[in-house]
Amino acid sequence: MMRIRELEAEGIAATTIARLLSDETVMRLSRGLYQLVDADIDANHDLAEASKRVPKGVICLTSALAFHELADQMPRKVWMAIGHKDWTPADHGPRLKVVRMSDSLLRSDVETHMIENIGVPMFTIPRTLVDCFRHRKSVGINVAVEALRETLRQRKATPAVIAECARKRGAWSVMAPYLETLALNG
């Protein structure tokens, strides 16, 4: 998967790209984004494509939960965090649900996962949980609580690490009753 700028930087002219498209060697995924027709498609292909479309964005909320195997189902849209002043991506390619965050929040607690040889920035598990509680009206409190329960059950993060992240990100007052209850019952 490559953007047109990356193809041109490799010395591939626009006419060559057009010829590859007509020969059906390459397919257009979205505006300015191309991939070989016979390329292996990962289950998380939409996350890689969204990351290519929005290079400053970070995969978040239910999309990150699904990637970390903390949610039962894949969301219909890819949730992506972008800065307050960043442009909103056009509606082509995988459908995006945009969440705006300050630059300091956007750049902290981010890890990069390789999907189809593309580095996809994504929030860590504790940060994703905190964001789900902070955006509980958008994702649903039941999704946030179930993700917290599943994280503790699978031991993907400790209650102490989750609590520390919640305190740093201003969600401790919302998360505390749920985390304390689930930690005591687990």
Side-chain angles (χ1 to χ4, degrees):
M1 189 180 321
M2 295 181 88
R3 296 184 64 83
I4 195 147
R5 283 181 252 149
E6 296 167 330
L7 291 167
E8 289 172 348
E10 293 291 326
I12 300 171
T15 54
T16 305
I17 296 168
R19 188 171 54 251
L20 292 171
L21 282 168
S22 67
D23 293 344
E24 295 183 0
T25 306
V26 170
M27 66 178 166
R28 180 179 174 208
L29 297 173
S30 64
R31 186 175 180 199
L33 189 60
Y34 300 91
Q35 180 173 326
L36 292 172
V37 171
D38 60 352
D40 292 332
I41 303 294
D42 188 274
N44 295 304
H45 173 81
D46 285 350
L47 301 180
E49 188 175 337
S51 181
K52 276 293 205 183
R53 282 183 52 211
V54 187
K56 292 182 181 179
V58 180
I59 304 296
C60 65
L61 297 171
T62 58
S63 295
L65 289 178
F67 178 81
H68 292 298
E69 298 175 348
L70 298 173
D72 292 341
Q73 58 190 9
M74 284 295 290
R76 289 181 292 212
K77 296 181 180 183
V78 176
W79 287 78
M80 181 155 283
I82 62 174
H84 287 294
K85 295 181 181 179
D86 291 340
W87 60 271
T88 303
D91 211 15
H92 49 77
R95 298 201 38 117
L96 299 178
K97 180 72 175 166
V98 174
V99 177
R100 296 206 177 261
M101 295 184 181
S102 67
D103 288 337
S104 61
L105 281 176
L106 194 59
R107 298 295 158 223
S108 61
D109 303 318
V110 176
E111 55 192 18
T112 302
H113 295 275
M114 295 304 290
I115 302 171
E116 296 182 9
N117 294 322
I118 295 167
V120 177
M122 191 174 309
F123 289 123
T124 62
I125 291 173
R127 171 63 188 278
T128 299
L129 293 171
V130 169
D131 285 346
C132 284
F133 277 92
R134 288 180 65 228
H135 295 276
R136 63 193 173 278
K137 290 181 182 172
S138 298
V139 299
I141 190 68
N142 57 340
V143 171
V145 172
E146 188 56 38
L148 179 60
R149 177 182 289 119
E150 197 59 25
T151 299
L152 295 174
R153 189 186 70 74
Q154 293 181 26
R155 297 183 181 181
K156 291 194 173 189
T158 64
V161 171
I162 296 168
E164 179 184 341
C165 187
R167 283 186 187 98
K168 276 199 257 180
R169 304 288 167 240
W172 178 243
S173 62
V174 174
M175 284 187 76
Y178 298 102
L179 184 58
E180 290 168 358
T181 302
L182 291 172
L184 289 175
N185 290 340

